[in-house]
Amino acid sequence: MMHFKFSPKILNRLGEELVPNPDQGIIELVKNSYDADATECTVKLVNTSAIGGSIIISDNGVGMDINAISEGWLVLGRSKKDANEITPLGRRPVGNKGLGRLAALQQGSQVILKTRPKNEPGIEYSLTIDWHDFQEADVVEDIAFDVQKSSTNERQGTNIKINNLKNTFSNRDIKRLARELLLLADPFDSNIAFRPQLIAPEFSDIAKQVNDSYFENAEYRLYSHINSQGIAEAKLLDWKGDLLFHAQHKDITQEPSYKTSLAKFELWIFLLNPQSFSAKNSSVSATVVRKWLAEVGNVHLYHRNLRVKPYGDQGDDWLKLNYARARNPEVRPSTSTVIGRVIVNDPDNKLIQKTDRLGFIENEAFLELKRFTTDVLDWIAKERLKTIENKREIVKQQSSHQVTVAKARIEEVIKEEVPEESREIVLRVVQQYESAKEVETKVLREDLQLYRSLATAGTTAAVFAHESGKPVTLIEKIAKRIEKKGQESLKEKYQNVLEEPVTKLYQIAKSLLRFSNFPLHLLKREKRRTGVVNIHSVIDDVVELFQPFFDDGKIKVNRKKLDGEPCIYGSTALLEAIVTNLLTNTINAFNVEGGRNEGRKVIISTETGEGYVRLKVLDNGLGIRDIKLDEIWLPGRTTRQSGTGLGLTIVKDSVSDLGGKIQVIANGELGGAEFVIELPLVGKKPL
C-alpha cells in the first residue's frame, strides 16, 4: 500500500513563502494565544538587530497536553479548533488552518516549545524543533520529535522561543510590529480582555499614540449595522451627539437584504482645520489629531474581535474612500481623515480567510459586507450633499431678494434725500453701475462654465486614472509569468531572447502607474486651502511628478533656485496649476513638427526683487508661433490640433488670483518660449 509523502521543501513553501513580512508570522502565534483563552500575551525580541537573534512569545492560556501537541500543534493544514465551539471566555477561534504557526516557526533555525496545560496542574511538556534535521531527511515523516514531560511551579500557559533568526528586525520593523499588536485586539473596545504586549522601547511610544483617543473631536460619527436577517440601519450624529440623519434599510439599498453575517460599521469623520477645532473649544490642535490618525486612522476590519490584515493598513484603501473623494471631495472623507471599524462575529463561518492569512476570499459574504459599508458611505454623502445644496439654494434666494430690496431702498433714498435737480444724474450713475455689474456677472458666469468643464475633465481623468491601476497590475503579473516561464524553459538563452522585452514591459507598467497617479495627486483637496506656500517645495513636487514625462521625452530639466525658501500667500493648488500648465507647454513645445529631437532643455528659475519673487520657465523649443502673444491667454485659442486652449488661461487667472503679474517672450533666452511670473512675497501687497 502506498501513501502520499512530502519533501521537507514543502515546509519552506508553507512557512517562509507564506509570510510577507516577519511581524505577520508573530501575529499568527499571538492569535493562537487568543484562541487558547489567554488574557496576557507578551512578545519579546532578543538581539534581533543582528542575524541569529530570538523571539519569545509567552501567554497564560489553557496550554496543551500531549494529545493537543501530537494531534493538533504538529499536524499541518488541519486544526482541532471548532469555529462553532465557544471557548470558556466566550471567544470564537480565529485560527483554523494550522498553517499560521508554521509560518512563524520557520523564521529561525530552532524552535523550543514549553506548554503547561490547565487540565494538568504542575506539569510542563516541552519539545525542540531543529529545522536543520529536515535538510538531511528524504521526507518530512522521517523526523520524529521527543516530547519531554516534567514538573513545574509555573502557571498554565505556553512559551514559544524561536532561535537563530534568519532575518534582522530594523527599528521600522519593530515599530510596525508594535502597531500591529496594538491594533490586533480592537483598542477602541474596552470590553476585550486580550491586550498583547511587545517588550521593546518602541512599543510604549506607539502605544501612547494609539491609546490617545481624540474621538470627541470628530465632526461626525456614524453608527450602522446589519442584523441577522441582513437588514441594515444607520444614523449619523454631529460632534455634539445630535442626530443629523437616520436611515432604514430602504434608504441605504434597494436590495431586499445583505447576504452576509451580522455586522457593525462605526466611523468617526474629522474635519482637520483650525476652524472646526475652534468651534468645539478643543484642547488639542488639528495637527495633533492628524498625527494620531496617521498612526491609527483608516477603516479596520475586526473578525471575532481580532483585526484582519491588510484591511485598514497604512496605504490600504479597501473601501475606495479616496477614489470616491476624488469624485466628490465636498462630502466625502478620505483614509487620512477617518478612523473606523467593521466588526463581524461570523458565527456561521461565512467569511473565509486566505491561506496566507492576508484578507478574506472574496466570496459572496465578503463582497456583500463591502457593499454594505460602501452603501452606507454613499447614503451619508447623499444626505450631506442634499443639505449643502439646500443651503446654497437658500443663499441664492436670499441674495436675489436682498438685491431687490437694496435697489428699492436706493431709489427711495434718492427720491427722499437727493435734490430734484440732481436726481436724474444720480439715477444715471446708478444705472451705469448696474450695467457694469451685469457685465461682470456675465463674465463670471462664463468663467464658472469654463471651470465647471475643467472640473468635469479633472474628475473624469481621476476616475480613469484609478481604473487604469487594474490593467497595469495585470501587465506586471503577465510580465512576471513570462519571466518565470521563460527562465524555466529557455535557461541560459532567456537573456538573449526574452529579457529585453520583459524588462520593457516592467518599465511600461511602472510608467503607466505613475501616469495614473498624476490626476489623483493634483486633485487633493488640502491643496486648495489658503495659507503660506513654499514656492520651491511646489516646484520640486511638480517636477518630480513630471519626471516620467521628461524621461520619455529625453528632456533635461535644470532648476536654478535662489538661496532660502521664498513663500507666497495663497494656495498650493493655484501655484501648482501655474507650474503644471507651463511644464505641460514645454513638453508640447518639443512635440511639434520640426521640433528639436536632441538636447532638449527646460530651465525653471527663481529670483527675488523688492517685495516679490520672480519665477521663470523657459525651454529651447521653437518658441511661440502662428498666434499673437495677447491671444495665447484666451480660452480655446491653441496652435495644437489636440490642444484645449485652456492651460494658459488657467495660468493667467491663477497668477491674478495670487496678486501677481505675468509676461511672455516668444523666443527667450534659450530660443524657445519664456514665461516670467512675479508674485508678492508673504506680507507684501499685490503687484
Side-chain angles (χ1 to χ4, degrees):
M1 185 176 294
M2 296 183 181
H3 302 278
F4 274 119
K5 296 180 181 180
F6 294 96
S7 164
K9 291 182 179 179
I10 195 68
L11 298 177
N12 292 331
R13 297 209 175 255
L14 293 177
E16 293 174 343
E17 297 180 15
L18 206 60
V19 183
N21 48 59
D23 54 90
Q24 183 60 24
I26 296 172
I27 292 296
E28 289 303 317
L29 291 180
V30 174
K31 287 182 178 180
N32 283 351
S33 296
Y34 175 83
D35 288 345
D37 261 357
T39 56
E40 299 174 14
C41 179
T42 61
V43 176
K44 185 176 182 180
L45 306 180
V46 181
N47 299 325
T48 53
S49 60
I51 300 293
S54 301
I55 304 171
I56 304 171
I57 298 97
S58 307
D59 68 50
N60 66 341
V62 297
M64 294 178 282
D65 57 22
I66 191 71
N67 183 63
I69 295 172
S70 174
E71 299 302 317
W73 203 76
L74 289 175
V75 178
L76 305 179
R78 184 192 76 191
S79 175
K80 295 191 72 176
K81 304 171 188 174
D82 185 348
N84 294 315
E85 183 179 338
I86 306 298
T87 69
L89 289 184
R91 299 174 183 174
R92 290 185 183 276
V94 295
N96 57 13
K97 293 184 183 297
L99 295 174
R101 63 181 171 276
L102 177 63
L105 302 180
Q106 281 277 300
Q107 293 186 58
S109 64
Q110 184 192 64
V111 178
I112 299 174
L113 168 72
K114 293 184 178 182
T115 183
R116 299 163 296 282
K118 180 180 180 180
N119 59 357
E120 296 182 47
I123 298 297
E124 180 177 87
Y125 294 98
S126 62
L127 69 84
T128 299
I129 301 173
D130 192 331
W131 296 112
H132 292 306
D133 294 342
F134 289 89
Q135 295 178 4
E136 308 298 327
D138 292 327
V139 293
V140 171
E141 294 86 340
D142 289 345
I143 304 300
F145 298 111
D146 181 21
V147 180
Q148 302 292 321
K149 180 179 180 181
S150 60
S151 300
T152 182
N153 293 322
E154 293 189 46
R155 62 178 180 174
Q156 68 183 44
T158 298
N159 295 54
I160 298 173
K161 185 176 183 182
I162 306 168
N163 290 323
N164 302 321
L165 295 181
K166 303 171 186 176
N167 298 302
T168 62
F169 277 74
S170 65
N171 288 335
R172 183 178 178 182
D173 294 328
I174 296 173
K175 183 178 178 181
R176 185 175 60 203
L177 174 59
R179 181 179 182 274
E180 294 297 335
L181 288 171
L182 283 162
L183 291 176
L184 178 62
D186 190 350
F188 316 114
D189 187 346
S190 58
N191 296 320
I192 297 175
F194 182 69
R195 298 290 176 220
Q197 301 283 317
L198 174 65
I199 302 176
E202 290 81 359
F203 184 76
S204 58
D205 295 336
I206 300 297
K208 185 179 185 308
Q209 287 181 295
V210 171
N211 294 328
D212 283 346
S213 60
Y214 302 107
F215 295 104
E216 68 278 6
N217 291 284
E219 195 73 16
Y220 306 102
R221 182 172 183 183
L222 164 73
Y223 293 92
S224 57
H225 69 271
I226 311 172
N227 66 18
S228 57
Q229 284 76 47
I231 304 303
E233 187 176 357
K235 57 183 179 179
L236 188 71
L237 310 180
D238 66 12
W239 64 275
K240 293 178 289 188
D242 295 335
L243 181 66
L244 294 176
F245 313 118
H246 180 249
Q248 300 293 342
H249 184 86
K250 61 182 177 57
D251 302 314
I252 299 171
T253 180
Q254 298 302 309
E255 297 295 325
S257 65
Y258 290 100
K259 298 176 178 62
T260 188
S261 183
L262 55 88
K264 289 196 298 183
F265 175 30
E266 296 179 330
L267 190 70
W268 292 261
I269 304 172
F270 294 81
L271 297 183
L272 297 175
N273 58 62
Q275 295 84 353
S276 173
F277 282 71
S278 176
K280 303 182 187 70
N281 292 320
S282 176
S283 60
V284 297
S285 66
T287 302
V288 171
V289 176
R290 185 177 286 109
K291 289 180 179 178
W292 176 66
L293 289 174
E295 289 294 341
V296 301
N298 210 336
V299 180
H300 307 285
L301 174 56
Y302 287 90
H303 182 246
R304 296 175 177 169
N305 293 327
L306 294 188
R307 192 173 90 86
V308 179
K309 285 177 65 66
Y311 311 116
D313 277 355
Q314 293 168 328
D316 178 76
D317 188 11
W318 68 290
L319 296 181
K320 301 292 188 291
L321 297 182
N322 298 333
Y323 172 50
R325 182 181 177 86
R327 291 183 300 166
N328 205 339
E330 196 171 16
V331 294
R332 292 281 191 171
S334 70
T335 54
S336 61
T337 61
V338 301
I339 181 170
R341 57 187 180 182
V342 177
I343 304 170
V344 189
N345 199 27
D346 193 23
D348 300 322
N349 304 314
K350 292 181 178 180
L351 299 178
I352 304 169
Q353 274 199 275
K354 297 176 182 177
T355 302
D356 63 4
R357 314 292 285 162
L358 287 178
F360 290 106
I361 293 172
E362 295 199 347
N363 59 10
E364 182 184 45
F366 180 73
L367 293 176
E368 285 287 278
L369 180 66
K370 281 184 66 174
R371 185 171 71 85
F372 160 64
T373 57
T374 53
D375 285 350
V376 169
L377 291 169
D378 288 345
W379 165 73
I380 293 175
K382 180 179 67 178
E383 294 299 326
R384 288 185 64 194
L385 193 59
K386 283 182 186 176
T387 301
I388 291 171
E389 288 302 316
N390 287 338
K391 287 181 179 178
R392 283 177 180 161
E393 193 58 39
I394 291 171
V395 170
K396 284 181 183 179
Q397 292 174 2
Q398 288 177 342
S399 298
S400 178
H401 176 69
Q402 288 168 356
V403 169
T404 303
V405 170
K407 185 176 180 180
R409 178 60 180 156
I410 289 172
E411 292 174 352
E412 183 181 333
V413 169
I414 291 173
K415 186 176 180 180
E416 294 178 355
E417 304 295 336
V418 177
E420 187 172 351
E421 62 272 14
S422 302
R423 288 176 190 171
E424 186 177 346
I425 298 172
V426 174
L427 284 171
R428 193 180 307 123
V429 171
V430 171
Q431 289 171 355
Q432 289 173 349
Y433 172 76
E434 288 179 347
S435 298
K437 289 298 293 182
E438 286 178 6
V439 172
E440 182 185 37
T441 301
K442 182 180 178 182
V443 171
L444 288 173
R445 193 175 292 117
E446 291 173 352
D447 280 352
L448 178 62
Q449 292 180 29
L450 168 63
Y451 284 102
R452 279 179 174 166
S453 298
L454 290 173
T456 302
T459 52
T460 304
V463 172
F464 282 115
H466 183 275
E467 291 300 317
S468 68
K470 297 174 183 177
V472 169
T473 302
L474 186 59
I475 291 173
E476 288 183 329
K477 288 181 178 179
I478 292 172
K480 286 180 181 177
R481 189 171 182 182
I482 294 172
E483 182 180 38
K484 183 178 179 181
K485 292 295 182 182
Q487 290 172 343
E488 290 175 355
S489 303
L490 298 175
K491 307 295 183 188
E492 64 277 359
K493 294 181 180 178
Y494 172 81
Q495 186 173 0
N496 295 328
V497 178
L498 284 179
E499 186 174 53
E500 184 179 346
V502 169
T503 301
K504 193 66 177 175
L505 273 178
Y506 281 128
Q507 292 172 347
I508 291 171
K510 187 177 181 181
S511 294
L512 285 173
L513 192 58
R514 284 181 176 177
F515 296 161
S516 69
N517 288 331
F518 193 84
L520 297 174
H521 174 86
L522 295 176
L523 286 171
K524 289 180 179 177
R525 186 181 184 185
E526 59 267 22
K527 294 182 178 182
R528 300 194 291 276
R529 294 176 184 147
T530 301
V532 176
V533 180
N534 186 311
I535 291 181
H536 288 169
S537 294
V538 172
I539 291 173
D540 290 342
D541 286 346
V542 175
V543 170
E544 183 180 349
L545 197 64
F546 268 81
Q547 198 58 53
F549 298 90
F550 293 136
D551 292 342
D552 284 354
K554 297 179 180 179
I555 302 169
K556 183 179 179 181
V557 180
N558 186 7
R559 280 170 272 183
K560 295 182 178 180
K561 298 185 289 187
L562 60 90
D563 294 335
E565 296 183 346
C567 295
I568 62 170
Y569 188 80
S571 71
T572 299
L574 282 175
L575 186 56
E576 203 171 58
I578 295 168
V579 180
T580 298
N581 281 291
L582 291 182
L583 289 182
T584 301
N585 262 23
T586 64
I587 292 172
N588 292 331
F590 293 117
N591 294 326
V592 299
E593 185 177 350
R596 179 190 294 269
N597 292 320
E598 301 293 334
R600 295 175 170 182
K601 185 189 299 184
V602 173
I603 293 178
I604 305 173
S605 68
T606 55
E607 55 190 55
T608 54
E610 190 171 340
Y612 66 86
V613 60
R614 181 181 290 120
L615 168 66
K616 290 184 179 180
V617 179
L618 53 156
D619 61 62
N620 63 346
L622 297 178
I624 298 174
R625 305 180 303 169
D626 304 325
I627 187 172
K628 296 178 180 179
L629 287 185
D630 60 350
E631 293 182 1
I632 64 173
W633 314 110
L634 299 176
R637 293 288 285 122
T638 179
T639 58
R640 291 191 306 114
Q641 189 172 0
S642 59
T644 63
L646 298 174
L648 291 179
T649 304
I650 295 171
V651 170
K652 182 175 179 293
D653 288 350
S654 299
V655 170
S656 177
D657 289 344
L658 291 172
K661 57 185 180 181
I662 184 172
Q663 68 175 113
V664 60
I665 304 169
N667 299 97
E669 182 183 339
L670 294 182
E674 180 171 336
F675 291 87
V676 182
I677 298 164
E678 293 181 356
L679 300 171
L681 290 165
V682 170
K684 303 299 179 181
K685 294 182 179 180
L687 300 172

